[in-house]
Amino acid sequence: MEAVIASSIVLVILFMTFAIGVLAYRYRVKTLRVDTYIVAGRTLGFLVTFLNMAAVIYSGFAFLGASGWAYAFGAPVLYIWIYGALAYTFAFFFAPRIWETARGQGLLTQADFFMWRYGSKVLMVLVALVGITFNIPYGQLQILTTKYVLDLSTYGTLPTLHVAVLSFVITMIYVFLGGMVSVAITNVFLGSIMLAAMLGGGLSLIAYYFGGLPGLFTAVESVKPEHAYLWAATGRNSVQWVVTAAVGCGLGFWVWPQLAQMVFPAKDSKVLRRSIVMSSWYHVLGIIWASLTGLVALGIGMKLAVADHAFLALVRDTFGPVALGFIGAAGMAAALSSAAGIILTQASLLARNIYQGWLKPTATEKEVIQVSRIGVLIFTLISVLLAYTAPAYIVYLLLVGYTGITQMFPGWVLGSVWKWVTKEGVLAGLVVGLIVGVLMCFVWPDYLGIHSIIWGLMFNLPITLIVSKLTYRGE
């Protein structure tokens, strides 16, 4: 009976999400153009921009991965708290500048910016491929999150990976149909659910067991003291790992190509800046409190086979199936809303920049939309196959993605500020940064306790700047 109650709530939310996405396409899309499909025609107001942005940003990682990381490692979860402050401060000044450029030049994707700024098809295609490739683990992460939600909410009565994949595929149907319009309208619904669950669930659990934060931290120190400190010389329990992960993720946060596509649909820069300010409160009221639930699980001595189950297992054991159903539905909302933005972005990069920008410059709007829809199918299939064959820690999957994506920072950010940054410099830095970052991810993981994001940037940045100075011809 408990499984029926909890899983029914989760499935009702899934059905409502699908219905909203399809109805948004049917009643809001009058003419399906390329700019409508990719950036909703740059018509989104404050509420939709804010909730759409928040829903895509705060994925399964924010909802379950952060609490699982805190449960598994303790104090290193601080990196999540820190990078949000860095990312939103940066975006407040940078994102409106990029939006103005995008509107003035008709840019629809991040790779469009690289083509406009540097005039290099090679660089445009490389950026598109990086955005597509390093978003693959992020898409896979969303299926994994949905599986974890179903693991707990069905009390083990269903083949959860199969159902998670089915949920993912159902979500992609409305992405296929309506593009950004369906994604944005649906995310208004999903984003609201997510914030209520992360804040309400985190506060309730801390208050129920410990009465407040002092009691929680005291309990963690007494039960597992090594999780209360950054004690190691190297590795993920070291100060340098937390600092470099926080800085790397803070710099890379707004380099993700799907965030460019969440920035571009705003109807003006004022709407965008207000949306960024409000989204920052998702970090304060959402992910920080969600991450603390992992410490709650530690503090009460909960034994978990899967660390990422921490938040939902606590809700299940503490408040029962009804609360589990609502919190689980919010976790699934976090995963599916992000998945929708990720898959749409990958498909847009494929159609707009690889197909139209490189392979067939004469492609019509109808062809670009068709290729985008084919891309939705392709990247959905890839994520599904990886979910079956290569599961991993939620946070680990995210950090692998960050390592590659952040290597576009010099060309994306510095190139928008300094006119002397050249295509030769950006291309050289990006290639070297990717090679070093991948090596430090898989061959020498986080060598010396320094995160692979920063290792890549330590080579990328000087090469970009030196080569740019050598190749800049002036105007």
Side-chain angles (χ1 to χ4, degrees):
M1 187 61 182
E2 290 178 325
V4 172
I5 294 171
S7 58
S8 294
I9 295 170
V10 172
L11 293 176
V12 165
I13 296 296
L14 174 63
F15 173 77
M16 292 174 66
T17 301
F18 174 73
I20 292 169
V22 173
L23 290 172
Y25 164 68
R26 292 198 60 179
Y27 294 106
R28 294 295 298 270
V29 179
K30 306 303 180 186
T31 304
L32 193 59
R33 307 184 308 268
V34 172
D35 69 325
T36 306
Y37 196 83
I38 295 178
V39 295
R42 298 187 218 278
T43 60
L44 301 187
F46 164 65
L47 183 64
V48 179
T49 300
F50 152 51
L51 288 171
N52 184 38
M53 187 181 294
V56 171
I57 290 171
Y58 294 106
S59 65
F61 156 73
F63 208 88
L64 300 186
S67 61
W69 199 252
Y71 177 85
F73 299 105
V77 79
L78 286 169
Y79 98 88
I80 297 171
W81 305 5
I82 298 167
Y83 82 66
L86 296 175
Y88 283 108
T89 301
F90 168 72
F92 183 82
F93 298 100
F94 173 72
R97 180 189 184 102
I98 285 289
W99 182 90
E100 293 286 357
T101 299
R103 182 191 62 171
Q105 302 299 325
L107 310 181
L108 302 181
T109 68
Q110 184 185 61
D112 279 359
F113 171 84
F114 280 80
M115 183 63 201
W116 166 77
R117 171 61 177 80
Y118 302 104
S120 169
K121 283 191 176 182
V122 172
L123 189 55
M124 175 191 69
V125 171
L126 179 59
V127 165
L129 290 173
V130 170
I132 289 169
T133 303
F134 284 92
N135 249 317
I136 288 173
Y138 205 9
Q140 177 195 355
L141 181 156
Q142 312 315 322
I143 299 178
L144 188 60
T145 298
T146 306
K147 177 188 181 300
Y148 288 162
V149 168
L150 293 166
D151 283 341
L152 276 294
S153 62
T154 64
Y155 292 79
T157 60
L158 290 176
T160 52
L161 182 55
H162 300 325
V163 180
V165 166
L166 179 61
S167 303
F168 185 82
V169 171
I170 287 172
T171 301
M172 294 310 124
I173 292 173
Y174 69 74
V175 178
F176 176 92
L177 291 172
M180 182 59 75
V181 173
S182 290
V183 171
I185 299 300
T186 305
N187 283 350
V188 172
F189 171 62
L190 297 179
S192 302
I193 295 173
M194 287 162 49
L195 181 59
M198 284 193 288
L199 177 60
L203 283 172
S204 298
L205 288 165
I206 293 168
Y208 182 86
Y209 284 106
F210 303 108
L213 292 177
L216 169 62
F217 295 140
T218 299
V220 170
E221 189 171 13
S222 63
V223 172
K224 206 159 188 179
E226 66 270 24
H227 275 51
Y229 303 97
L230 299 172
W231 48 268
T234 61
R236 290 171 180 158
N237 285 87
S238 64
V239 172
Q240 64 266 34
W241 188 92
V242 169
V243 171
T244 55
V247 171
C249 291
L251 294 177
F253 196 91
W254 294 93
V255 183
W256 287 93
Q258 62 268 31
L259 291 196
Q261 274 180 242
M262 297 309 113
V263 165
F264 293 167
K267 69 178 183 180
D268 58 49
S269 57
K270 185 177 180 180
V271 161
L272 177 60
R273 185 168 272 126
R274 289 171 60 205
S275 298
I276 289 168
V277 171
M278 289 302 297
S279 294
S280 71
W281 282 100
Y282 257 73
H283 208 86
V284 176
L285 300 177
I287 189 171
I288 289 178
W289 290 96
S291 69
L292 287 170
T293 61
L295 299 183
V296 173
L298 272 177
I300 65 174
M302 180 176 278
K303 304 298 182 185
L304 294 171
V306 179
D308 293 324
H309 282 177
F311 193 177
L312 292 181
L314 276 169
V315 171
R316 177 197 62 196
D317 295 348
T318 307
F319 301 121
V322 174
L324 175 61
F326 282 110
I327 299 293
M332 188 170 67
L336 296 181
S337 60
S338 293
I342 291 164
I343 297 295
L344 176 62
T345 297
Q346 290 175 306
S348 300
L349 291 168
L350 174 67
R352 171 79 170 176
N353 301 112
I354 295 178
Y355 180 73
Q356 185 184 40
W358 177 39
L359 297 175
K360 190 179 180 183
T362 59
T364 65
E365 288 211 344
K366 184 178 180 180
E367 286 180 275
V368 175
I369 293 170
Q370 288 174 338
V371 174
S372 295
R373 285 175 162 171
I374 292 170
V376 170
L377 299 178
I378 291 171
F379 297 119
T380 298
L381 179 60
I382 291 172
S383 294
V384 166
L385 291 175
L386 286 175
Y388 280 111
T389 59
Y393 266 125
I394 287 177
V395 173
Y396 176 75
L397 288 172
L398 180 67
L399 290 174
V400 169
Y402 257 116
T403 297
I405 292 295
T406 308
Q407 303 315 311
M408 295 189 289
F409 178 88
W412 178 234
V413 178
L414 300 185
S416 71
V417 177
W418 296 331
K419 65 180 181 179
W420 56 267
V421 175
T422 67
K423 64 182 179 183
E424 294 86 358
V426 172
L427 187 59
L430 177 58
V431 170
V432 173
L434 286 172
I435 293 170
V436 173
V438 168
L439 289 174
M440 293 304 175
C441 238
F442 299 106
V443 181
W444 302 290
D446 298 343
Y447 184 64
L448 298 179
I450 297 172
H451 197 278
S452 54
I453 301 172
I454 298 300
W455 276 114
L457 286 177
M458 282 195 293
F459 286 81
N460 184 345
L461 279 168
I463 288 173
T464 298
L465 299 179
I466 291 169
V467 174
S468 290
K469 279 293 186 183
L470 293 174
T471 56
Y472 180 62
R473 297 167 184 85
E475 293 181 359

